[in-house]
Amino acid sequence: MFCARLFRNFAPNEQKKKGNNMKLFDVYPLFDVNIVRGKGCRVWDDKGQEYLDLYGGHAVISIGHSHPHYIEKVTEQLGKIAFYSNSVVNKLQVELAERLGKASGYEDYQLFLINSGAEANENALKLASFKTGNVRVLSCEGAFHGRTSLAVEVTHNRKIVAPINDNHHVRFLPLNDLEPWVRELSRGGIAAVILECIQGVGGIQMATPEFAQKLAYACKRYHVPLIADEIQCGYGRSGKFFAHQHLGIKPDIITMAKGIANGFPMGAVMISPDFEPVYGQLGTTFGGNHLACAAALATLDVMEDEGLVENARVIGDYLMEGIRNIGSSHIKEVRGRGLMIGIELDMPHKMVRKPLIRHEHCFTGAAGENILRLLPPLCLTKADADDFIERLIRVQPEDSD
């Protein structure tokens, strides 16, 4: 009786205090904009203000916001079944594997479906370690591969690596400098090499064909799986289905997410036929569920029907040339492939990015201290590109004498 009175007197009173509502864990520095709807390459806030979207929510929106075919197919699937476990046949997974193999040119590879890019890299690294029996990984300086256990350990940012993740498995080496990679591979004990062919968070730094081809050759020589992280640079964004296809290499494992389902959470690992699957080796609860597969299939439909991979190439070239032609002394370099573009500035990016959002109502991303990062939907048009260039011109600080 005493214990019951004690609980009644204290616990409910604490919970009923005014203002004691749960709050979000405050890890995101937010712009004070509440986006409530989107269409194509435009989004609108709760006040009705329209914004030009040159960021696509971190390269996630591939076919444009609220595409009617996407809405139709996802809604249709939701009316049937949204989820059942991976203990039963899901023919949507089979269809997606077949379609993705044809679209990417990797019909002989195998597909494992999960929920995010970090999970894709976790599973890729796990597979490589299973195959080689090794634990050491070679990764790039400036790399970003995710925020979870193995993925964050191979990410070159000490600020987000917790002590529990810091297991000394990784050696970070310079992009496009082959000699240290070959030296480390020759020492043995390497589980995997992981590479972003275009670094996103790293500032749109691109691997050269010569480096990538010689690295791939060295991996084959020393029997080390090469993992291509295509989570941001892949799925048509570079003007080819995968960014590594610009470089003339064929990785052993390819990871993807972001644009695969146009905003529905999904990730995937494409795996060489040299890897033999084993029951229970990998697993996921939500990965490859019916609704996610429907979203991914609808995304592929639109990409193919509207030629969005080629559009990314054409409009990307057009946009980069237009930005270069602005002639601003504050723009040091424009680099990228397709619709993955970095604008390197001679000042902090916030001096351009903030007025773009606040005054020109245009979303862009950023990398490092001085790089604007453009990752628009792949349906961007020349008119959209011209619109962005005009807005960018208006926020350029005046050249000093």
Side-chain angles (χ1 to χ4, degrees), residues 87-339:
S87 61
V88 299
V89 171
N90 181 346
K91 291 189 176 180
L92 292 173
Q93 292 183 0
V94 177
E95 182 183 356
L96 179 58
E98 292 173 352
R99 292 276 306 278
L100 185 52
K102 289 184 173 71
S104 65
Y106 280 93
E107 292 177 87
D108 59 332
Y109 275 44
Q110 305 158 89
L111 185 67
F112 180 68
L113 296 168
I114 53 281
N115 310 285
S116 69
E119 283 179 84
N121 284 334
E122 292 281 347
N123 283 283
L125 290 162
K126 185 177 179 181
L127 278 173
S129 184
F130 269 131
K131 187 168 182 64
T132 62
N134 295 326
V135 299
R136 295 179 60 225
V137 180
L138 303 183
S139 183
C140 273
E141 294 173 357
F144 184 92
H145 297 292
R147 296 177 184 271
T148 56
S149 181
L150 282 169
V152 80
E153 192 175 358
V154 296
T155 290
H156 195 215
N157 181 353
R158 297 293 305 171
K159 293 179 181 178
I160 63 172
V161 179
I164 199 170
N165 306 128
D166 192 9
N167 297 307
H168 309 290
H169 292 143
V170 186
R171 182 74 185 270
F172 293 101
L173 301 171
L175 183 66
N176 296 326
D177 183 1
L178 183 68
E179 192 274 334
W181 296 81
V182 175
R183 185 172 61 245
E184 289 295 325
L185 285 165
S186 68
R187 290 173 176 168
I190 305 298
V193 168
I194 187 165
L195 176 69
E196 297 166 281
C197 294
I198 307 174
Q199 292 184 339
V201 174
I204 316 300
Q205 306 294 340
M206 298 184 289
T208 65
E210 180 183 15
F211 168 76
Q213 289 169 24
K214 289 182 177 179
L215 178 61
Y217 175 80
C219 287
K220 292 292 184 189
R221 178 182 176 187
Y222 293 106
H223 309 289
V224 173
L226 175 60
I227 301 168
D229 179 340
E230 293 273 358
I231 289 160
Q232 188 170 135
C233 60
Y235 233 80
R237 180 155 298 281
S238 72
K240 289 185 181 289
F241 200 89
F242 289 126
H244 70 259
Q245 291 169 325
H246 291 278
L247 306 178
I249 62 173
K250 191 171 185 179
D252 300 288
I253 303 175
I254 303 161
T255 59
M256 66 202 91
K258 293 197 183 291
I260 191 172
N262 203 52
F264 196 95
M266 193 179 210
V269 187
M270 286 174 48
I271 305 156
S272 160
D274 292 338
F275 288 76
E276 193 74 31
V278 176
Y279 284 153
Q281 189 179 57
L282 304 180
T284 171
T285 297
F286 297 107
N289 64 73
H290 295 73
L291 198 56
C293 288
L297 287 165
T299 300
L300 270 179
D301 288 343
V302 176
M303 287 178 67
E304 292 171 352
D305 292 347
E306 299 184 7
L308 294 188
V309 177
E310 175 65 7
N311 188 71
R313 183 190 69 79
V314 172
I315 302 301
D317 288 347
Y318 178 82
L319 179 55
M320 283 190 280
E321 186 64 22
I323 297 167
R324 293 186 185 109
N325 288 339
I326 290 174
S328 170
S329 64
H330 298 296
I331 297 176
K332 294 172 62 178
E333 185 182 5
V334 181
R335 58 180 176 264
R337 283 196 177 95
L339 288 173

Side-chain angles (χ1 to χ4, degrees), residues 342-355:
I343 306 171
E344 186 171 343
L345 305 168
D346 70 349
M347 57 189 159
H349 56 66
K350 65 182 180 181
M351 295 181 66
V352 173
R353 191 182 181 210
K354 286 185 176 180

